[in-house]
Amino acid sequence: PASSNSRMEMQDPKISTLSDKERLGASKQAVIPPNSERKARRPFRRPKAEKQVEELNFLPNAVGSSSLTLWHRPKVQHLIHMKEKHKVTMIITALADREKPNWIRDECKKLGLKWFHIPLNGANKTLLSTKGTLKLVSERLVELLKVLASSKERALLHCAAGIHRTGVLSYTLLRCSGFNTREKAMEGIKKMRQHTHDGVKVISAHGSVYLCHVNKCSRKDG
């Protein structure tokens, strides 16, 4: 009987499964365009970290035969690219201990980069006028000047944002290394990093605090 055949056909799993596959295949063909009509792949884009590091500008003979550049706090991928692309040999970190800078020390060690730490909590005038801060930072700056003057480094100086602490320290380094006027030191900072220069237009007022206390830098004109 027709009704019996109809029931058997509905209960046959082979027929049912085959029908589902055919329908699924037809559905896929309907929604997936042929290769020629698919959207072309996006062009290769340079990684963001690499593009950021391209901003580095070195000031030749900033301290002795050593070149110097300024930046903000780097990430691991930045450090790798700095060494490979820009031949950086030394990282100078101006971060407080509370900012946990030791990971930068560890990464520099892995990469074979020199690391120099100047523990500095900030760059406001009140902080820079305290005896404890002046003594600690002055001692570190004197040591750094000796290191840079006695070798030929490609050094990068940074704090967190690369503005105030970076600006104060770079200003002092330049004033102690032959950039004997405010204008020359500020122009040197501008060549290294415009953003740092623009953020510390009154930097000489802070720099004078250091210049009076760093050995062999007795200038008091700012």
Side-chain angles (χ1 to χ4, degrees), residues 59-68 144-154 173-174 176-179:
L59 182 64
N61 305 316
V63 181
S65 298
S66 293
S67 300
L68 183 67
L144 177 59
L145 283 164
K146 291 178 180 177
V147 171
L148 294 176
S150 63
S151 56
K152 192 173 183 179
E153 306 292 346
R154 283 177 66 81
L173 287 171
L174 294 181
C176 290
S177 304
F179 294 75

Side-chain angles (χ1 to χ4, degrees), residues 77-95:
Q77 59 267 38
H78 295 149
L79 292 173
I80 295 172
H81 187 68
M82 286 170 183
K83 178 182 178 181
E84 294 178 351
K85 179 70 175 179
H86 294 280
K87 310 303 180 185
V88 170
T89 61
M90 183 179 189
I91 300 295
I92 305 165
T93 298
L95 294 174

Side-chain angles (χ1 to χ4, degrees), residues 163-182:
I163 300 177
H164 298 104
R165 285 175 286 186
T166 297
V168 166
L169 294 176
S170 61
Y171 179 88
T172 304
L173 287 171
L174 294 181
R175 289 300 305 273
C176 290
S177 304
F179 294 75
N180 53 12
T181 65
R182 294 189 189 92

Side-chain angles (χ1 to χ4, degrees), residues 64-178:
S65 298
S66 293
S67 300
L68 183 67
T69 190
L70 313 176
W71 217 46
H72 55 73
R73 175 168 37 202
K75 297 180 180 179
V76 175
Q77 59 267 38
H78 295 149
L79 292 173
I80 295 172
H81 187 68
M82 286 170 183
K83 178 182 178 181
E84 294 178 351
K85 179 70 175 179
H86 294 280
K87 310 303 180 185
V88 170
T89 61
M90 183 179 189
I91 300 295
I92 305 165
T93 298
L95 294 174
D97 291 335
R98 61 178 172 77
E99 295 174 281
K100 301 178 179 180
N102 286 346
W103 73 265
I104 302 176
R105 175 201 63 194
D106 296 340
E107 290 300 324
C108 285
K109 186 176 181 179
K110 291 178 185 178
L111 294 169
L113 297 172
K114 296 179 182 178
W115 186 67
F116 194 95
H117 184 210
I118 301 177
L120 188 57
N121 286 306
N124 62 78
K125 193 169 184 178
T126 301
L127 177 65
L128 298 181
S129 299
T130 61
K131 291 183 179 180
T133 300
L134 282 173
K135 183 177 184 299
L136 176 61
V137 176
S138 295
E139 289 175 352
R140 295 300 288 161
L141 277 172
V142 170
E143 186 175 347
L144 177 59
L145 283 164
K146 291 178 180 177
V147 171
L148 294 176
S150 63
S151 56
K152 192 173 183 179
E153 306 292 346
R154 283 177 66 81
L156 180 141
L157 169 61
H158 76 90
C159 54
I163 300 177
H164 298 104
R165 285 175 286 186
T166 297
V168 166
L169 294 176
S170 61
Y171 179 88
T172 304
L173 287 171
L174 294 181
R175 289 300 305 273
C176 290
S177 304

